[in-house]
Amino acid sequence: MDGSQPASAIAGFDPKPHVAEMRDRGWTIIENFLGADRLAAFRAGVEPLLGHYRGRNDFEGRTTERVYTLVGRGKVFEDIACDARLMAVLAAFFKPNFLLSASHAICIFPGEAAQSLHYDDGFYQQPRPRPPLGISVIGAIDAFTAENGGTVMIPGSHRWSDAEVMGFRLGRTPATPPPPEAVPLEMPAGAIAVFPGTFVHGAGANRSQAPRLGFTNQYCQPWLRTQENFYLGIPKERVRAMSPAMQSLLGYSITPPFLGMVTASHPAKTLDPAWTPAIERQAVE
């Protein structure tokens, strides 16, 4: 499987083992998600965007650079965000027309401290234990190791109750050593890790001598508000050039019966007034 190929050209990917692994230990790794061509295209696309930003707080990382709204900054980032293999995994957890919630490149520089351990869909403030309302993807552009900031993973934490999460966090700071059960996320360049939004994790400290480049794309159920406001963050002219799958992930879609409408019309009509839904096109044809 070569991640440099278009998703439609890739056969033989079975999402079931990845879904089972996410439900069991809490995360799965899809290796060779990005082949050499896509890795090179990612680096070329992100290089001019770097060198302008440092985190504003300990959570963002004061020695970490983030490029937000990444999906709106180049076709390679669009293709990664809507890759058919990933969509098949997410479909096991989400209702149809689920959304892209956030899309960032993340470069962790040497000397960065460990991030506080957290779970990604906690801002929805729904009691745990529960099914995930979000799914997170972390992608390795540089190989992830225990030394260069590989994410600290807490197996089984996606099933914890609110009380268990609070008990785990009690007295912890980012400088507190990871607990004995923690596992560093180590994976080669081109791999991605996928995990539910209820899973406890945090970026590790970069104790190496080189920066570590990666990305995160986060997704959510179609009835939830997204972290990034892509309607304002990505100009319509750019959205018009995207694939229908990518447009749907950005919210140019309807969740039945009418969530997402624009003045009682399908939001795709704001991109193309002549657009008609598939059921109407079939009737015409």
Side-chain angles (χ1 to χ4, degrees):
M1 187 184 301
D2 181 356
S4 66
Q5 301 177 50
S8 59
I10 298 168
F13 177 76
D14 183 3
K16 294 185 182 67
H18 296 288
V19 171
E21 200 166 31
M22 290 170 66
R23 287 178 171 153
D24 180 19
R25 70 170 180 173
W27 79 96
T28 190
I29 294 176
I30 304 175
E31 294 197 8
N32 302 313
F33 185 79
L34 304 179
D37 290 350
R38 270 194 181 172
L39 279 170
F42 188 106
R43 290 184 184 280
V46 83
E47 193 278 332
L49 306 174
L50 295 173
H52 308 290
Y53 182 86
R54 288 293 186 277
R56 296 160 291 186
N57 51 56
D58 291 340
F59 189 82
E60 276 191 309
R62 298 185 187 278
T63 317
T64 293
E65 181 164 17
R66 294 174 184 258
V67 178
Y68 290 94
T69 322
L70 185 66
V71 71
R73 300 176 184 272
K75 190 171 188 308
V76 63
F77 310 124
E78 301 168 24
D79 291 343
I80 290 169
C82 66
D83 186 285
R85 295 164 294 174
L86 176 59
M87 298 298 99
V89 173
L90 300 186
F93 297 90
F94 287 152
K95 296 292 186 182
N97 296 325
F98 55 84
L99 301 172
L100 182 68
S101 182
S103 180
H104 315 159
I106 303 174
C107 189
I108 299 179
F109 290 93
E112 179 61 275
Q115 188 183 42
S116 59
L117 296 174
H118 62 283
Y119 60 99
D120 283 342
D121 69 1
F123 40 72
Y124 292 126
Q125 299 183 5
Q126 295 299 302
R128 296 174 58 120
R130 58 168 169 77
L133 297 173
I135 300 283
S136 296
V137 174
I138 295 176
I141 303 303
D142 296 321
F144 278 38
T145 70
E147 292 297 312
N148 73 3
T151 305
V152 177
M153 315 290 272
I154 310 298
S157 58
H158 56 302
R159 294 189 292 267
W160 287 356
S161 66
D162 286 325
E164 287 173 300
V165 172
M166 289 300 295
F168 175 80
R169 286 178 167 175
L170 193 63
R172 295 192 65 85
T173 71
T176 304
E181 66 271 26
V183 176
L185 178 60
E186 297 187 287
M187 56 185 180
I192 61 170
V194 190
F195 51 89
T198 50
F199 182 76
V200 177
H201 66 286
N206 188 347
R207 299 184 298 272
S208 75
Q209 300 303 308
R212 192 221 70 194
L213 180 61
F215 68 90
T216 183
N217 287 330
Q218 299 182 20
Y219 302 80
C220 67
Q221 290 281 17
W223 61 83
L224 293 170
R225 184 168 186 173
T226 58
Q227 297 174 57
E228 293 194 75
N229 188 330
F230 293 117
Y231 301 118
L232 298 179
I234 304 177
K236 280 187 181 179
E237 292 73 20
R238 187 167 198 97
V239 178
R240 285 190 183 98
M242 293 179 176
S243 69
M246 191 67 251
Q247 291 171 352
S248 179
L249 284 172
L250 293 179
Y252 292 85
S253 55
I254 287 286
T255 296
F258 44 69
L259 291 180
M261 70 174 180
V262 178
T263 320
S265 293
H266 196 288
K269 290 185 177 181
T270 67
L271 302 174
D272 177 8
W275 182 92
T276 55
I279 190 169
E280 292 182 20
R281 291 198 300 270
Q282 291 167 4
V284 171
E285 294 167 358

